[in-house]
């Protein structure tokens, strides 16, 4: 693939990049991450991503590996070195390296890894087609507000969804939808109310979710933050997901039931277009 990646201060070819086997990110998933989109070679919603990184790190008592300005400079250099026009930058911060022990020592030096992935985000074919979503129990840990790299259950849920002919899974806990495997879940009721689950430790506090709530308010659309049931979702006029790399993705089917007329909905498409336009106007 020939990318240049960043590991602990060094920019080097991906084949030469190494992390120590005693890194706690590898042994304990003791690490957090951010995925920031790139359009026209610049970052989408950098302030939102760096703010959430700081929050995730603080919740786990991992220090910032570099200043905000240095992290931004590393992102920019990686984009330049890889001539990335459109795609994502993945950044992971681990607690660091120590002999294997559940308990960790104070004062460890955090590890830092970044790499790019080039892919079309605006002309994403899935956005035109819409997603088929399966429903699965939410078996993740209870601190989903921290963006950790413990992603085994979401990966399994996505694989099971694929086996069932779906694109993704929405996760359900106590009879309510929490979120998607790697995105926030939204419905638009037949009454025109835009609904997404309220913030708590049950879901990741999506950067794109926050942007869409702002856009809905700016457009005078009624948006409510509250939980919804799978039944309400299957009866909705429209449904969609939000994530940094997917922006706004229409959901056209939930557990075999078409949503609305089974095609990407007009409000969803409007929100996607507005999101992209505003993102292009505020790149970092
Ligand atoms: N929920 C989960 C579980 C996620 O993994 C993600 C993104 O990776 C999101 C929601 C969406 O968050 P954001 O819009 O910040 O990408």
């Amino acid at each position: 693939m020939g990318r240049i990646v960043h590991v602990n201060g060094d920019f080097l070819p991906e084949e030469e990049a190494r992390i120590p086997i005693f890194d706690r990110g590898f042994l304990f998933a003791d690490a957090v991450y951010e995925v920031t989109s790139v359009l026209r070679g610049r970052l989408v919603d950098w302030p939102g991503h760096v703010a959430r990184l700081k929050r995730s790190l603080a919740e786990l008592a991992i220090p910032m590996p570099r200043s905000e300005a240095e992290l931004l400079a590393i992102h920019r250099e990686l984009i330049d070195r890889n001539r990335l026009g459109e795609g994502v930058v993945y950044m992971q911060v681990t607690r660091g390296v120590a002999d294997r022990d559940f308990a960790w020592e104070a004062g460890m030096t955090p590890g830092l890894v970044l790499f790019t992935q080039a892919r079309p985000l605006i002309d994403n074919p899935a956005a035109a087609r819409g997603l088929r979503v399966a429903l699965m129990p939410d078996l993740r840990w209870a601190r989903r507000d921290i963006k950790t790299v413990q992603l085994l259950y979401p990966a399994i849920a996505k694989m099971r969804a694929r086996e069932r002919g779906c694109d993704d899974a929405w996760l359900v806990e106590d009879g309510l939808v929490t979120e998607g495997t790697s995105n926030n879940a939204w419905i638009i009721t037949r009454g025109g109310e835009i609904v997404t689950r309220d913030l708590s430790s049950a879901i990741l506090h999506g950067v794109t979710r926050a942007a869409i709530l702002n856009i809905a308010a700016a457009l005078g659309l009624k948006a409510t933050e509250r939980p919804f049931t799978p039944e309400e979702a299957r009866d909705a006029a429209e449904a969609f997901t939000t994530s940094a790399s997917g922006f706004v993705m229409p959901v056209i089917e939930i557990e075999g039931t078409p949503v609305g007329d089974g095609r990407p909905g007009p409000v969803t498409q409007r929100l996607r277009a507005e999101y992209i336009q505003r993102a292009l106007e505020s790149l970092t």
Side-chain angles (χ1 to χ4, degrees):
M1 283 180 271
R3 283 171 295 190
I4 300 294
V5 303
H6 179 99
V7 182
N8 295 325
D10 295 326
F11 289 90
L12 67 183
E14 60 179 277
E15 304 77 24
E16 293 170 25
R18 299 280 180 274
I19 55 154
I21 66 163
F22 291 109
D23 190 300
R24 288 182 60 93
F26 175 64
L27 293 176
F28 291 102
D30 190 352
V32 302
Y33 74 109
E34 282 296 326
V35 177
T36 307
S37 280
V38 173
L39 294 174
R40 298 179 183 166
R42 291 165 68 199
L43 295 161
V44 177
D45 213 338
W46 168 254
H49 287 286
V50 78
R52 186 174 57 194
L53 175 74
K54 284 170 134 176
R55 180 181 183 280
S56 294
L57 291 171
E59 290 294 319
L60 298 177
I62 299 175
M64 272 280 273
R66 298 276 191 288
S67 70
E68 252 185 74
E70 286 167 333
L71 290 178
L72 176 57
I74 293 171
H75 275 72
R76 285 185 164 150
E77 184 162 352
L78 207 58
I79 290 168
D80 289 346
R81 285 184 183 238
N82 290 285
R83 295 192 179 79
L84 182 66
E86 196 161 322
V88 300
V89 181
Y90 175 94
M91 167 173 56
Q92 176 167 330
V93 181
T94 79
R95 191 178 303 278
V97 179
D99 199 359
R100 186 175 183 278
D101 188 345
F102 279 65
W104 64 81
E105 301 284 331
M108 290 179 62
T109 304
L112 178 65
V113 167
L114 290 93
F115 57 82
T116 55
Q117 290 181 317
R119 59 173 186 261
L121 303 181
I122 295 179
D123 292 326
N124 183 338
R129 199 170 56 232
L131 304 178
R132 293 188 162 79
V133 161
L135 297 171
M136 301 203 187
D138 196 337
L139 301 182
R140 299 173 299 164
W141 80 325
R143 288 303 307 274
R144 302 154 197 158
D145 55 314
I146 308 173
K147 197 166 167 64
T148 73
V149 301
Q150 297 183 65
L151 296 173
L152 182 56
Y153 184 70
I156 289 171
K158 196 148 197 154
M159 288 299 288
R160 293 208 178 126
R162 296 262 165 95
E163 285 158 17
R164 285 159 52 176
C166 294
D167 302 288
D168 203 353
W170 279 10
L171 305 173
V172 181
E173 183 174 61
D174 299 332
L176 299 165
V177 174
T178 52
E179 59 187 333
T181 58
S182 59
N183 43 65
N184 288 114
W186 301 67
I187 58 169
I188 307 179
T189 67
R190 289 172 191 266
E193 181 194 23
I194 302 173
V195 183
T196 194
R197 191 168 172 131
D198 49 309
L199 294 182
S200 69
S201 52
I203 63 167
L204 186 73
H205 302 186
V207 171
T208 321
R209 174 190 177 283
I212 292 299
L213 285 171
N214 286 334
I215 289 172
L219 297 179
L221 301 171
K222 181 174 163 46
T224 313
E225 295 173 76
R226 64 165 174 85
F228 56 86
T229 62
E231 294 68 37
E232 197 178 7
R234 291 166 81 168
D235 192 42
E238 298 184 34
F240 60 95
T241 65
T242 55
S243 67
S245 58
F247 305 152
V248 175
M249 279 289 171
V251 170
I252 55 167
E253 195 181 290
I254 299 174
E255 199 64 38
T257 305
V259 178
D261 64 3
R263 287 178 298 185
V267 178
T268 301
Q269 287 175 300
R270 184 172 177 211
L271 289 170
R272 179 177 174 86
E274 287 282 343
Y275 177 82
I276 291 170
Q277 188 190 320
R278 285 161 199 247
L280 289 171
E281 287 165 3
S282 57
L283 296 168
T284 300

